[in-house]
Amino acid sequence: MSVSEAAIEAPAPAVISPPRREVAISQGVGVVALLIAGLQPVILGAFEREGRLSTAQIGLAATVELMALGLACGLAAALLKPTNVRLKIGLACLLHAAAMLATTLVSGVGVIVLRAAAGACAGVMLWLAIGAIARASHPERASGVFVTVQTFAQLVLAAALPATVMPHWGVNGALACLAAISLLAALACLAGPDRLAPLPRSDEGGRLDARSIAGLAAVFLWMAFIVALWVYLEPLAAKAGLSPREAGLAVALALGLQVLGGAAATAVGDRVPPTRMLLAVGTINALILATLWSGPGRGLFIACVAAFGFLWLFALPFQTLLLIRIDPTRRASMQLGAAQLLGSSAGPLAASLVVGDGPVRRALILSAACLALALGLISLLRPKQPA
């Protein structure tokens, strides 16, 4: 049964899906908005090497930028009208490029402030991509394509920038390249949608109901579980006896399998109810956490990290579909980016507080707690109309 048959109640009119060209351009702008999420280690690490950020400031800059991105995306979904879209997104792209270029001139606190500004602009850019996905006739497939292309683009730039631009021009060269990409996105949005179809009316008067809030909380906790574990993978690898080179290979393998995970989710589509799929994926993730806690050998550790990377992106399109099933007006799905990004910021922040100066395995406890809470919420959610 398709989304249009199962997810939208009779009183609410179906959302008019944007043309494919407009969806592709909208997703392209969203990919540009999220490039920094995969490039933060490259960019912020270079700032530290050049003496423009301290080690403590790296973590603060990363957290502030992702939080600004998530908050701006959520506020844009709640406040911006889906009209004059080209002007709004074009301006956001130009300001994003300006923030990138301005960052080349500053150090220390100035970098943190401008990374927050760049995150806010990127949040508005991401609003367009999420709006197009939420209105697609098959949002789970559109989401799968988006996360796959997004991750692939991050991988390409994470490999290309340090090998080509940064040896000659340092971090400023990388920032200039990202600014140029944002300018290209501004030009591309001129061919994108200027108006998005209105979402179906809600009995709640546009407010999110308790079920929608619970769904978004589950997404927040899911992403907190993932990133809290992700940021501590290298010290956990050391505990498992891996050399720094082996740990780096394990992380690279996980990143590569993320692309496959997103592609696999696109192929599966809505053939399996999202609640059932997320509970199954969550159970496998729980087994991965238990295996990592048991102190596995090097081979088993690498296998767990690889599976973790695959499941990371495989689950994301089903989060989109879950929110649409529990809120057919698709307003909850418009807040998906905010929930994911804020969870991604809160997870490592909470993990750093839990781990402190103690054993790194405490991060596994926090991740497990977040995952258990997310699965508990998901198990209580049911579509308004059975799938």
Side-chain angles (χ1 to χ4, degrees):
M1 186 176 292
S2 69
V3 176
S4 59
E5 294 170 336
I8 298 183
E9 294 179 295
V15 175
I16 300 174
S17 179
R20 289 186 178 180
R21 174 181 58 82
E22 294 187 355
V23 172
I25 292 173
S26 300
Q27 290 186 331
V29 172
V31 167
V32 174
L34 288 177
L35 283 177
I36 194 63
L39 295 176
Q40 278 187 337
V42 173
I43 301 296
L44 298 180
F47 270 116
E48 183 190 29
R49 288 194 301 274
E50 295 178 13
R52 295 167 63 184
L53 279 181
S54 67
T55 303
Q57 287 175 326
I58 285 179
L60 181 59
T63 300
V64 164
E65 183 164 12
L66 288 180
M67 282 189 171
L69 210 164
L71 287 172
C73 184
L75 289 173
L79 301 177
L80 290 184
K81 294 181 179 180
T83 56
N84 298 320
V85 172
R86 292 172 188 163
L87 175 62
K88 294 170 183 174
I89 300 303
L91 181 60
C93 291
L94 292 176
L95 291 174
H96 189 254
M100 290 289 180
L101 293 175
T103 309
T104 65
L105 306 175
V106 296
S107 300
V109 175
V111 172
I112 297 172
V113 171
L114 286 171
R115 295 325 304 156
C121 297
V124 179
M125 295 162 63
L126 181 60
W127 163 71
L128 174 62
I130 292 176
I133 291 170
R135 290 166 171 82
S137 56
H138 292 281
E140 75 290 342
R141 294 179 186 173
S143 178
V145 171
F146 178 62
V147 298
T148 302
V149 174
Q150 165 204 320
T151 306
F152 183 74
Q154 292 171 352
L155 282 173
V156 169
L157 284 178
L161 290 178
T164 58
V165 174
M166 298 178 73
H168 302 286
W169 296 285
V171 69
N172 284 353
L175 291 170
C177 287
L178 294 176
I181 292 172
S182 296
L183 291 176
L184 291 175
L187 290 175
C189 77
L190 295 177
D194 196 42
R195 173 186 291 270
L196 299 176
L199 295 173
R201 294 186 179 276
S202 169
D203 294 336
E204 301 293 327
R207 297 188 302 273
L208 298 178
D209 60 16
R211 290 158 47 82
S212 299
I213 293 172
L216 290 167
V219 170
F220 175 93
L221 290 164
W222 188 290
M223 297 307 299
F225 136 68
I226 287 177
V227 186
L229 174 59
W230 180 251
V231 297
Y232 282 99
L233 271 184
E234 289 205 13
L236 286 169
K239 291 287 184 182
L242 275 71
S243 67
R245 180 176 177 276
E246 290 172 329
L249 289 174
V251 171
L253 179 60
L255 288 171
L257 286 174
Q258 283 183 19
V259 177
L260 294 180
T266 305
V268 172
D270 61 352
R271 295 183 180 89
V272 181
T275 299
R276 187 184 306 169
M277 181 61 78
L278 288 172
L279 290 175
V281 171
T283 301
I284 299 173
N285 274 318
L287 292 174
I288 291 173
L289 287 174
T291 303
L292 294 177
W293 176 265
S294 69
R298 294 186 299 174
L300 185 54
F301 183 93
I302 292 174
C304 285
V305 172
F308 173 77
F310 178 88
L311 294 173
W312 181 340
L313 256 68
F314 181 79
L316 297 191
F318 296 102
Q319 294 178 355
T320 302
L321 194 53
L322 173 69
L323 291 178
I324 291 176
R325 293 286 175 89
I326 63 177
D327 180 10
T329 70
R330 308 196 179 200
R331 284 174 170 79
S333 63
M334 288 296 297
Q335 296 291 341
L336 177 65
Q340 289 177 336
L341 288 162
L342 292 175
S344 298
S345 302
L349 179 61
S352 67
L353 297 175
V354 169
V355 173
D357 295 326
V360 71
R361 292 175 70 192
R362 290 180 183 175
L364 295 173
I365 299 175
L366 176 70
S367 289
C370 291
L371 177 61
L373 290 172
L375 293 178
L377 286 172
I378 291 171
S379 67
L380 298 175
L381 297 173
R382 293 290 183 269
K384 289 188 176 181
Q385 183 170 328

